[in-house]
Amino acid sequence: MILTNAETVSAYLDKGWWDHRTVDDLFKAAITTGPDAIALVDPINRIDMDGHAPQSLSWATLDAAVDQVASNLIKAGLKKDDRILAQLPNTVDAVIVFLAAARLGLIVSPVVMQYRAHELRHIIERIEPVAFVTVETFAGFDHAALARELASETTDLRVMHMHMHDGSGLLNGETDTVSLQHFRSNNPINSAEILTICWTSGTESRSKGVPRSHAHWVLNADVIIDATEMTPNDVLLNPFPLVNIGSIGGLVLPWLQIGAKLVLHHPFDISIFLEQIQTERVTYTIAPPAVLGALLKQPALMERFDISSMRAVASGSAPLSPWLIETWKSDHNIEITNVFGSNEGSSLFSTPRSVPDPAERARYFPRFGADGVSWNSRAAEVMQSRLIDPDTRAVITEPGQVGELQLAGATIISGYWNSPDLNTRAFDADGWFSTGDLFEIAGTESLSRLYSFVGRSKEIIMRGGVNISPAELDDLIVDHPKIREAATVGLPDDRLGERIAVAVVPHDNETVTLLDISQWLENKGTAIFKRPEFIVTVDRLPRNAMNKVVRDTLRDVVTAKL
């Protein structure tokens, strides 16, 4: 399934921005470089997650496991371009399913473990998956029962597990090599075909599907490897499940391309994280600013572990401080890269190479692909960036004026999944994607090659690096029988970036508590990370002339009452 128009695909190929390699091509190339080398390592606490012992897989063993899963998917009747919904923790199983889909030309739609019936029904309705691959239980929740319930609501969804005692699991049974070879020879894969549909939230009331092709992901690996200066000698630690561009694009695809070792971590536990760095001699990972800051303030904890193998960390999702970058370099000789990115493919990197000064690296991003600005960077070669006035939509070329960041080029998706109205708003006629984030050109001549981040124009709440739609929460909460009106906002938080607060206008003679809201959302099958942590009661919600809630004003109201 190709969603990018033929003219654009041809142009990207001619320019060398895309090529004909698929994700499976990267995988096969990595296997040949050292089939017996360890490629993939489970979280050391895996048995506590899903009851299975942690594994360390060589490239050859991983290849055999991918063939086995691919063979069983064929036996189950899946055809090229069929969609797989995958709700798996960050174990080798998730990587195997991703690589099996890439090998067969299937489309995998990965989702976080916290999603419940509310979110999963929406995704099933949008993508119409043929298979739902999940675990039996995780963190005390019966995922298998939920999957069966959802499958009973549609005639075409089959629940699958990786391991089953009766031999029916995707990692059970014999690999039918003949059928697998026949399937692959009769179903060649074009690099422009869609491989993944990830999910992201914004101002819309429900999550948006973000389709990315093999060519998108291969190019993403090129960009990340160039930005981070990865080599085959690196050992990568992935602390995020395979559900978005940060994990898949930031670590999994670069791992495949350089043929390194990938170590998985889940759920996040700082002591286990440090232990894995020490044991596996990790050289590169991704961590949010809150974690990096918390570690620096716990020297006793840091002294328990040898992290001298580490050379670099990428960080984003919240502002970095110059102190943080300077201290990691001075105290531990670890360089921090400041990353701005999104599932749609927008990526700006302030690396030690592009922005050497730590104070500047914390505050600014290179204007990759901007007119009149050149960078020695793969990202700058394959993308364009500009700022536009939020009101007039005129292009901003001078410092000191706040504008919305727009991006175009070969890293950016061609549109959201099956969302023509949304695409009309998010993409202009020339293919520029409006990120909804506010920047300005830095104000001095020496810094004019850089963007300064101002804030988000979108209303999304960023909690722990996850985008949460306030509109979706509003719609869910306002149905509560005690509530006349309700609206949610994000409040700043040093650890998570933002926490969720809800302002409610109760019906007459009613009192609404935070427990009321939490139980209501739980009964609706809503992911726990979307549940508000603060509540205030107000007489009315601030609205503009179009009767839309003014969240900036509401945030001030909520803050004043807390």
Side-chain angles (χ1 to χ4, degrees), residues 389-543:
D389 186 286
D391 298 319
T392 67
R393 312 308 283 176
V395 177
I396 296 171
T397 59
E398 299 296 330
Q401 183 179 353
V402 175
E404 182 181 7
L405 180 66
Q406 285 192 325
L407 296 167
T411 63
I412 308 297
I413 64 170
S414 55
Y416 295 109
W417 177 264
N418 196 23
S419 303
D421 293 340
L422 179 57
N423 290 335
T424 299
R425 298 194 299 271
F427 299 85
D428 71 13
D430 297 319
W432 286 92
F433 167 64
S434 296
T435 66
D437 295 282
L438 301 178
F439 287 77
E440 62 182 7
I441 298 170
T444 66
E445 184 175 348
S446 63
L447 298 176
S448 62
R449 300 172 71 243
L450 304 172
Y451 289 125
S452 174
F453 178 69
V454 175
R456 292 197 302 274
S457 62
K458 291 180 179 178
E459 298 172 344
I460 57 172
I461 299 168
M462 180 72 79
R463 184 186 186 280
V466 178
N467 288 355
I468 298 170
S469 165
E472 178 188 10
L473 285 179
D474 296 354
D475 290 346
L476 289 165
I477 294 170
V478 78
D479 286 342
H480 194 288
K482 292 184 177 181
I483 294 174
R484 179 181 295 119
E485 288 186 297
T488 50
V489 292
L491 300 181
D493 181 79
D494 290 340
R495 187 172 67 89
L496 292 173
E498 287 182 304
R499 291 183 184 270
I500 305 169
V502 58
V504 299
V505 181
H507 286 298
D508 293 342
N509 302 317
E510 293 284 8
T511 299
V512 183
T513 68
L514 196 60
L515 181 60
D516 290 332
I517 301 295
S518 295
Q519 289 180 338
W520 180 254
L521 292 175
E522 182 178 2
N523 291 338
K524 284 183 171 286
T526 308
I528 192 169
F529 64 78
K530 294 182 179 180
R531 296 173 196 174
E533 296 160 278
F534 307 98
I535 186 172
V536 300
T537 299
V538 296
D539 295 330
R540 61 182 179 275
L541 300 178
R543 298 181 181 272

Side-chain angles (χ1 to χ4, degrees), residues 91-127:
T91 67
V92 298
D93 290 0
V95 179
I96 291 168
V97 169
F98 173 78
L99 293 174
R103 181 158 288 179
L104 296 179
L106 304 174
I107 299 172
V108 61
S109 186
V111 298
V112 297
M113 295 305 298
Q114 297 95 325
Y115 274 8
R116 298 294 183 258
H118 170 73
E119 293 86 10
L120 295 174
R121 283 193 180 99
H122 168 67
I123 291 171
I124 290 169
E125 178 183 335
R126 299 293 291 174
I127 68 169

Side-chain angles (χ1 to χ4, degrees), residues 87-376:
Q87 189 174 35
L88 298 166
N90 195 23
T91 67
V92 298
D93 290 0
V95 179
I96 291 168
V97 169
F98 173 78
L99 293 174
R103 181 158 288 179
L104 296 179
L106 304 174
I107 299 172
V108 61
S109 186
V111 298
V112 297
M113 295 305 298
Q114 297 95 325
Y115 274 8
R116 298 294 183 258
H118 170 73
E119 293 86 10
L120 295 174
R121 283 193 180 99
H122 168 67
I123 291 171
I124 290 169
E125 178 183 335
R126 299 293 291 174
I127 68 169
E128 298 179 313
V130 172
F132 184 3
V133 182
T134 189
V135 293
E136 294 183 277
T137 62
F138 178 81
F141 183 80
D142 192 337
H143 285 271
L146 175 58
R148 290 193 297 270
E149 175 189 343
L150 296 171
S152 70
E153 299 170 1
T154 177
T155 57
D156 299 318
L157 181 60
R158 179 172 178 176
V159 177
M160 299 179 175
H161 301 287
M162 297 296 280
H163 312 268
M164 293 294 286
H165 296 299
D166 64 1
S168 63
L170 290 173
L171 279 169
N172 294 128
E174 296 290 331
T175 300
D176 187 342
T177 305
V178 174
S179 294
L180 178 57
Q181 290 176 342
H182 179 77
F183 184 98
R184 295 183 65 192
S185 63
N186 285 280
N187 294 279
I189 302 170
N190 187 310
S191 65
E193 292 177 355
I194 295 302
L195 171 58
T196 58
I197 304 173
C198 297
W199 296 88
T200 190
S201 295
T203 58
E204 297 75 26
S205 63
R206 303 303 295 268
S207 296
K208 302 167 288 189
V210 180
R212 294 183 68 78
S213 67
H214 288 259
H216 276 128
W217 286 123
V218 171
L219 176 59
N220 200 103
D222 290 343
V223 167
I224 296 296
I225 291 167
D226 174 71
T228 60
E229 302 182 67
M230 287 183 188
T231 75
N233 295 322
D234 275 314
V235 178
L236 313 179
L237 176 57
N238 184 8
F240 305 122
L242 276 68
V243 297
N244 58 25
I245 198 169
S247 175
I248 301 172
L251 287 160
V252 174
L253 264 298
W255 158 68
L256 287 175
Q257 182 135 321
I258 60 177
K261 181 196 286 188
L262 181 66
V263 182
L264 304 176
H265 176 95
H266 194 187
F268 190 81
D269 180 289
I270 196 64
S271 294
I272 294 176
F273 186 73
L274 292 171
E275 182 179 350
Q276 287 180 290
I277 292 175
Q278 174 179 276
T279 303
E280 298 292 344
R281 305 303 295 160
V282 170
T283 61
Y284 176 87
T285 189
I286 299 175
V291 169
L292 296 177
L295 284 172
L296 291 178
K297 295 177 181 178
Q298 299 180 73
L301 175 63
M302 294 286 285
E303 288 173 3
R304 290 169 45 198
F305 301 94
D306 176 10
I307 63 167
S308 60
S309 60
M310 287 290 300
R311 65 170 184 84
V313 178
S315 189
S317 78
L320 285 163
S321 70
W323 165 81
L324 190 149
I325 293 178
E326 291 167 351
T327 307
W328 274 103
K329 177 61 176 176
S330 63
D331 291 5
H332 301 284
N333 197 31
I334 296 173
E335 294 281 11
I336 306 298
T337 289
N338 191 5
V339 181
F340 167 83
S342 72
N343 277 311
E344 291 85 354
S346 55
S347 298
L348 301 175
F349 311 94
S350 284
T351 69
R353 184 179 69 194
S354 61
V355 188
D357 181 81
E360 293 177 359
R361 199 186 318 154
R363 296 189 179 104
Y364 304 113
F365 295 95
R367 295 173 60 200
F368 288 153
D371 285 345
V373 182
S374 62
W375 292 90
N376 180 21

Side-chain angles (χ1 to χ4, degrees), residues 377-400:
S377 161
R378 180 62 168 159
E381 293 174 3
V382 301
M383 64 179 285
Q384 299 169 280
S385 69
R386 69 185 184 187
L387 302 183
I388 60 167
D389 186 286
D391 298 319
T392 67
R393 312 308 283 176
V395 177
I396 296 171
T397 59
E398 299 296 330

